[in-house]
Amino acid sequence: MRLAVISDVHGNRLALEAVLDDIGRQSVDGTLNLGDVVSGPLAPVETLDLLIPANFPTVRGNHDRAAVDEKTKDKVDRFAHERLTLAQRDWLAALPATRVVDEIFMCHGTPTSDTAPWLDNWWTGRDTTLPDEAAVTSKADGLDFPMLLCGHTHTPRIVRLRDGRMIVNPGAVGLQIVRGLPDARYAIIERRNGRWQAALHSVPYDFAAAAQQAQANGFAQWTDALMTGWVGPQGLFG
């Protein structure tokens, strides 16, 4: 079994198209989606026009919850909410918080939270920190799956626990925040000879065009992040 894993598209259809094109050359058996699909000042409607027909197994991210909430106050989530069709909102609202595909467990943040980070503590300025082994392992308690998938932090990372279970964060398709590289990210996971392995992929795309979209939509603070892969202390949401 060989699968692609995507996460955190954040309405960046240009990045998504580049990633899906690259995946198409990887001879995979399918693609899994870890959520935060539309919340970004780019192309939320067009992103779901691509993803919904693809019918990838998908879990709900924290920004997916916010994008369907009539009372959401975050300006970026509100941008997506006001543009999505009713059918698209219904699709987002129906996404599960976690999902199991074969022997793979999928979540957005951690198995019990779509806002808590698993493999990386949240960043201060440009720093990320891998939590200690006990903190990472404890979040996998009770999950008898050899492959555990998470997103949310936008930071690609692969960890193998002492018992052999693997945790993979593919990074973000649509928004790089602490990597210093604007290219889109995804992962390939593969079960070979009964054992799982993973590889992280980086895909160039027209990030300048994405930055222009954000600028045109009134979110100039997104342009530098999309162009460089860095986000300053001011952040992007809120």
Side-chain angles (χ1 to χ4, degrees), residues 182-198:
D183 295 354
R185 305 301 187 97
Y186 77 98
I188 296 285
I189 60 173
E190 183 174 7
R191 186 176 59 201
R192 183 180 297 176
N193 298 323
R195 186 174 173 87
W196 283 96
Q197 61 189 51

Side-chain angles (χ1 to χ4, degrees), residues 7 9 12 17-18 22-23 29 47 68 78 93 108 116-117 127 156 158 166 169 173 175 179 197 202-203 218 228:
S7 188
V9 177
N12 191 339
E17 288 174 334
D22 198 72
I23 289 172
D29 301 306
T47 295
V68 299
R78 173 60 60 182
H108 179 68
D127 295 328
I158 300 169
M166 180 171 279
N169 186 325
V173 170
L175 177 64
R179 299 300 295 176
Q197 61 189 51
S202 177
V203 183
T228 68

Side-chain angles (χ1 to χ4, degrees), residues 8-15 35-48 51 62-68 72 74-84 88 92 154 172-177 205 209-223 225-226 235-238:
D8 296 278
V9 177
H10 284 284
N12 191 339
R13 175 155 178 159
L14 293 173
D36 273 6
V37 178
V38 297
S39 284
L42 300 166
V45 170
E46 294 81 1
T47 295
L48 283 188
L51 281 176
N62 58 306
H63 285 288
D64 298 324
R65 281 193 296 108
V68 299
T72 187
D74 183 283
K75 293 179 181 179
V76 176
D77 295 326
R78 173 60 60 182
F79 176 90
H81 177 87
E82 292 175 348
R83 285 157 179 78
L84 296 176
Q88 289 175 329
L92 285 174
H154 297 215
V173 170
L175 177 64
Q176 312 313 315
I177 54 178
Y205 78 102
Q212 289 171 0
Q213 282 185 331
Q215 180 84 30
N217 288 329
F219 290 80
Q221 70 271 29
W222 276 62
T223 59
L226 289 166
L236 297 173
F237 293 91

